[in-house]
């Protein structure tokens, strides 16, 4: 079940503590990143439902859950879904709740994402512009302006302005106070915010009593005073700084030479170029990581469809759809079923290594390496049982020439892990014989397993036991026969080393 569906079922059952535990769990971080947009959509739907049912507790809970998701996921992704919800809502309370969540996302947004900030503020502005003021507003005289605040629509606008200014306050504090407003026509965060505030003044407050009076006590004076604080104070401050610079230059009569100017500008350009390169590299790495996360979630889900669709693109399509990705995402896997099969082998080998590590950790007693290897091979082969119906297809795919290097890599990695956790630390001929022997035993037992119809594959495990015992006898013989061991050492050693070097394998597990 996807993380979104788990959260939905917990919310439906009113198990709110479990929902927080699911979202805060470190095990679910990757899933949460992958399903961030769907999670935001689901939680906003819960928020709307709480508003419809007038459940204040659920409404507050939904806000907290949304903030938690926004804090853990990429702000660009959640913003896309949040702004879509803001555009479609018609309820002021829902709008206010979404603004609280939007504030958290914008505070986490990278400073270079100026257009994203602009788009977010324009969405808020569109909501305000959608409110229709009464026709008589533009015809009211000066003496009647204060009476406007008794109108229901006017009071709604004033409350929304107060909410927006509360939303804007922490964002304003993050802006660089040394930037001069409109020094350039390029889009900067401060220019975008100032333009937004100017548009707020020009839409609805233009009809209200917004003359700047310190003693004003009307509701209209609350947003008016705050807006004027944003507009007037920063401009005056920046202008003062600018004038001080000019007066300082004039008083000291210090002029910068052309060479100094060129050196300073070149240094500034070099710094900007370096920063841009670092930003582009970071974005490329983030993109690669995101693609890997998406691919892994699809491959993991696709394994559930192998029993019905085999090791094919159909299984990948079904897997993508089950984790809420479009079927065209299977284009991420141009090689088709073999990519799913490679993921399965890698996943199973890692799972086996984890189990063997748990078995051997804290156990200092000497163990029978043959029994240990037999048990490890049985554990690994049991992982094939759910997919045994389509395993001949898997063997056929692995035997194709382009896929042979990966297939060899999987089997060599498997036997090396078994030998390592069995206590093999040899650096002589035994290193090769054990691994070649185990690989042969594993593949022979795998083929025998395909035609075994006994209960719980009892005959397969007996076959495995006989092969392990035979290998033990052969190993003892080779140790006692020095002449035979020399010839076999040369053959086995060169073959194994060549295969490992061609595949570029590294068996370092530390």
């Amino acid at each position: 079940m996807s993380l979104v569906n788990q959260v939905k079922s917990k919310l439906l059952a009113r198990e709110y503590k479990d929902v927080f535990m699911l979202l805060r769990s470190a095990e679910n971080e990757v899933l949460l990143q992958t399903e961030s947009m769907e999670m935001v959509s689901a939680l906003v739907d819960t928020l709307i439902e709480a508003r419809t049912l007038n459940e204040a507790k659920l409404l507050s809970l939904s806000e907290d859950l949304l903030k938690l998701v926004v804090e853990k996921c990429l702000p660009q992704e959640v913003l896309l879904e949040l702004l879509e919800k803001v555009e479609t809502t018609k309820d002021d309370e829902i709008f206010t709740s979404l603004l609280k969540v939007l504030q958290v996302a914008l505070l986490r947004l990278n400073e270079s994402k100026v257009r994203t900030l602009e788009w977010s503020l324009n969405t808020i502005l569109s909501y305000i512009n959608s409110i229709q003021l009464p026709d008589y507003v533009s015809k009211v005289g000066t003496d009647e302006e204060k009476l406007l605040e008794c109108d229901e629509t006017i009071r709604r606008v004033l409350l929304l302005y107060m909410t927006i200014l509360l939303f804007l306050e922490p964002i304003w504090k993050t802006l660089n106070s040394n930037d001069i407003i409109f020094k350039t026509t390029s889009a900067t965060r401060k220019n975008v915010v100032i333009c937004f505030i100017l548009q707020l003044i020009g839409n609805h407050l233009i009809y209200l009593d917004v003359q700047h009076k310190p003693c004003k006590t009307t509701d209209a004076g609350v947003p008016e005073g705050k807006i004027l604080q944003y507009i007037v104070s920063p401009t005056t401050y920046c202008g003062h700084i600018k004038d001080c610079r000019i007066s300082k230059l004039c008083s000291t009569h210090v002029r910068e030479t052309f060479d100094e100017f060129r050196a300073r500008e070149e240094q500034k350009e070099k710094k900007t170029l370096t920063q841009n390169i670092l930003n582009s590299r970071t974005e490329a790495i983030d993109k690669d990581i995101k693609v890997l996360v998406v691919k892994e979630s699809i491959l993991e889900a696709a394994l559930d469809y192998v029993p019905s669709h085999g090791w094919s693109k159909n299984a990948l399509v079904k897997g993508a759809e089950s984790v809420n990705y479009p079927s065209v995402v299977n284009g991420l896997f141009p090689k088709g079923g073999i990519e799913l099969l490679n993921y399965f082998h890698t996943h199973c080998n890692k799972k086996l290594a984890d189990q063997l590590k748990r078995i051997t950790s804290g156990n200092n007693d000497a163990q029978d390496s043959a029994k240990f290897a037999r048990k490890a091979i049985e554990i690994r082969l049991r992982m094939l049982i759910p997919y045994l119906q389509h395993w001949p297809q898997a063997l056929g795919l692995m035997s194709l020439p382009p896929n042979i290097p990966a297939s060899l890599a999987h089997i060599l990695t498997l036997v090396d892990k078994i030998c390592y956790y069995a206590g093999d630390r040899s650096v002589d001929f035994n290193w090769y014989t054990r691994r070649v022997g185990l690989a042969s035993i594993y593949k022979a037992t795998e083929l025998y397993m395909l035609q075994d119809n006994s209960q719980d594959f009892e005959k397969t495990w007996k076959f495995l036991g006989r092969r392990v015992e035979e290998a033990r006898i052969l190993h003892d013989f080779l140790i006692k026969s020095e002449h035979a061991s020399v010839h076999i050492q040369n053959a086995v050693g060169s073959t194994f080393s060549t295969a490992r070097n061609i595949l570029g394998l590294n068996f370092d597990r530390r």
Side-chain angles (χ1 to χ4, degrees):
M1 182 186 293
S2 67
L3 185 60
V4 173
N5 290 334
Q6 291 181 56
V7 169
K8 284 181 179 178
S9 62
K10 295 291 184 185
L11 286 173
L12 196 61
R14 296 293 190 263
E15 298 173 355
Y16 300 139
K17 288 185 179 179
D18 292 344
V19 177
F20 277 102
M21 289 177 63
L22 276 173
L23 294 179
R24 286 173 177 158
S25 172
E27 296 177 357
N28 293 328
E29 283 187 3
V30 174
L31 277 177
L32 184 58
Q33 291 280 353
T34 306
E35 303 176 23
S36 58
M37 295 179 69
E38 293 81 3
M39 186 67 73
V40 169
S41 179
L43 291 176
V44 172
D45 291 342
T46 304
L47 187 144
I48 293 171
E49 181 184 356
R51 168 63 176 154
T52 305
L53 299 175
N54 200 23
E55 294 187 20
K57 182 179 178 181
L58 183 58
L59 185 71
S60 176
L61 176 78
S62 301
E63 287 180 13
D64 292 339
L65 289 172
L66 280 165
K67 289 178 183 177
L68 179 59
V69 172
V70 169
E71 287 170 356
K72 285 181 167 287
C73 300
L74 292 174
Q76 297 95 313
E77 290 190 2
V78 293
L79 275 172
L80 183 66
E81 191 66 30
L82 275 174
L83 294 176
E84 186 176 328
K85 296 296 183 182
V86 172
E87 288 175 352
T88 56
T89 188
K90 302 296 181 185
D91 186 283
D92 288 352
E93 191 162 347
I94 299 295
F95 176 75
T96 301
S97 297
L98 293 177
L99 275 189
K100 296 176 185 177
V101 183
L102 189 63
Q103 183 188 74
V104 176
L106 290 177
L107 288 172
R108 291 190 63 234
L109 193 66
N110 190 293
E111 290 187 4
S112 63
K113 306 295 182 182
V114 179
R115 292 301 179 189
T116 306
L117 173 64
E118 184 179 21
W119 178 31
S120 304
L121 297 179
N122 285 341
T123 304
I124 297 171
L125 199 64
S126 298
Y127 185 87
I128 296 294
N129 290 339
S130 67
I131 301 174
Q132 296 294 326
L133 293 179
D135 294 335
Y136 62 82
V137 170
S138 59
K139 303 173 184 177
V140 172
T142 306
D143 296 334
E144 300 167 314
E145 280 185 351
K146 291 182 179 180
L147 296 176
L148 285 176
E149 296 180 30
C150 299
D151 184 272
E152 184 178 347
T153 304
I154 298 298
R155 293 197 65 80
R156 177 193 175 196
V157 171
L158 288 172
L159 287 173
L160 284 174
Y161 268 68
M162 294 176 194
T163 302
I164 291 172
L165 291 171
L166 287 172
F167 155 82
L168 204 59
E169 189 168 356
I171 297 173
W172 179 264
K173 290 178 181 178
T174 64
L175 303 179
N176 187 356
S177 60
N178 293 326
D179 288 345
I180 300 176
I181 303 172
F182 304 135
K183 180 182 179 182
T184 66
T185 56
S186 61
T188 65
R189 286 165 59 84
K190 180 167 283 188
N191 284 355
V192 166
V193 173
I194 290 295
C195 285
F196 170 70
I197 296 173
L198 288 172
Q199 290 178 83
L200 282 179
I201 290 178
N203 287 323
H204 293 83
L205 287 189
I206 193 171
Y207 296 114
L208 304 180
D209 184 11
V210 291
Q211 296 178 10
H212 187 50
K213 298 175 184 177
C215 60
K216 188 176 287 297
T217 58
T218 63
D219 286 339
V222 177
E224 164 218 332
K226 194 69 177 177
I227 288 176
L228 289 174
Q229 176 186 335
Y230 283 136
I231 297 297
V232 178
S233 300
T235 310
T236 306
Y237 173 77
C238 293
H240 173 69
I241 295 295
K242 188 176 179 182
D243 291 339
C244 285
R245 279 186 195 159
I246 295 171
S247 61
K248 184 178 179 182
L249 285 173
C250 293
S251 61
T252 57
H253 301 285
V254 176
R255 291 181 60 104
E256 189 177 39
T257 67
F258 177 76
D259 290 338
E260 290 172 340
F261 169 78
R262 185 172 62 180
R264 178 169 56 82
E265 290 301 313
E266 285 178 352
Q267 186 67 23
K268 187 189 298 183
E269 186 177 343
K270 185 179 179 180
K271 185 178 179 181
T272 303
L273 182 60
T274 304
Q275 189 61 44
N276 290 339
I277 292 173
L278 290 174
N279 290 340
S280 62
R281 287 179 179 173
T282 303
E283 289 176 3
I285 292 171
D286 291 343
K287 185 178 179 181
D288 290 342
I289 293 173
K290 184 178 177 182
V291 170
L292 287 175
V293 169
V294 171
K295 290 181 70 173
E296 187 170 344
S297 64
I298 292 173
L299 288 168
E300 184 178 358
L303 288 177
D304 294 336
Y305 296 93
V306 171
S308 54
H309 294 84
W311 304 94
S312 63
K313 280 194 174 183
N314 290 335
L316 290 168
V317 169
K318 292 292 183 181
E321 291 174 348
S322 69
V323 288
N324 302 318
Y325 286 106
S327 59
V328 294
V329 176
N330 73 81
L332 290 171
F333 312 99
K335 295 180 181 179
I338 190 62
E339 296 197 54
L340 180 56
L341 190 56
N342 285 332
Y343 172 79
F344 173 74
H345 277 298
T346 304
H347 176 72
C348 289
N349 286 347
K350 184 179 183 302
K351 189 176 177 182
L352 175 66
D354 292 339
Q355 290 189 41
L356 297 181
K357 188 175 182 180
R358 284 196 299 270
I359 293 171
T360 56
S361 61
N363 184 13
N364 297 324
D365 298 334
Q367 59 182 346
D368 189 329
S369 57
K371 288 182 179 179
F372 182 88
R374 181 194 175 284
K375 184 62 179 176
I377 292 176
E378 181 179 340
I379 292 172
R380 180 62 176 82
L381 286 173
R382 284 188 179 276
M383 297 178 188
L384 307 183
I385 294 176
Y387 313 99
L388 212 56
Q389 179 185 354
H390 295 283
W391 201 246
Q393 179 195 7
L395 293 176
L397 283 172
M398 289 188 292
S399 64
L400 293 174
N403 305 330
I404 288 176
S407 303
L408 283 173
H410 293 314
I411 186 64
L412 295 181
T413 302
L414 168 63
V415 296
D416 184 70
K417 289 183 183 297
I418 294 174
C419 288
Y420 178 81
Y421 287 108
D424 179 19
R425 302 295 188 272
S426 60
V427 292
D428 55 5
F429 171 53
N430 292 329
W431 196 96
Y432 299 100
T433 57
R434 287 194 180 99
R435 282 154 178 77
V436 171
L438 271 182
S440 302
I441 292 171
Y442 179 86
K443 295 307 291 183
T445 311
E446 180 184 38
L447 293 172
Y448 187 92
M449 190 179 186
L450 291 177
Q451 53 188 351
D452 184 6
N453 296 321
S454 61
Q455 185 176 4
D456 193 33
F457 300 94
E458 183 180 355
K459 292 181 179 179
T460 298
W461 312 136
K462 288 181 179 179
F463 176 86
L464 172 60
R466 292 194 298 272
R467 299 291 81 78
V468 171
E469 186 60 31
E470 289 169 359
R472 186 207 297 267
I473 295 171
L474 177 62
H475 181 262
D476 292 340
F477 168 75
L478 291 174
I479 291 176
K480 295 176 183 178
S481 177
E482 182 179 352
H483 181 70
S485 64
V486 171
H487 290 290
I488 296 177
Q489 177 181 1
N490 292 335
V492 174
S494 60
T495 302
F496 200 91
S497 297
T498 302
R500 189 179 64 176
N501 292 332
I502 289 173
L503 297 172
L505 293 179
N506 181 8
F507 292 132
D508 185 12
R509 295 155 297 277
R510 281 73 173 175

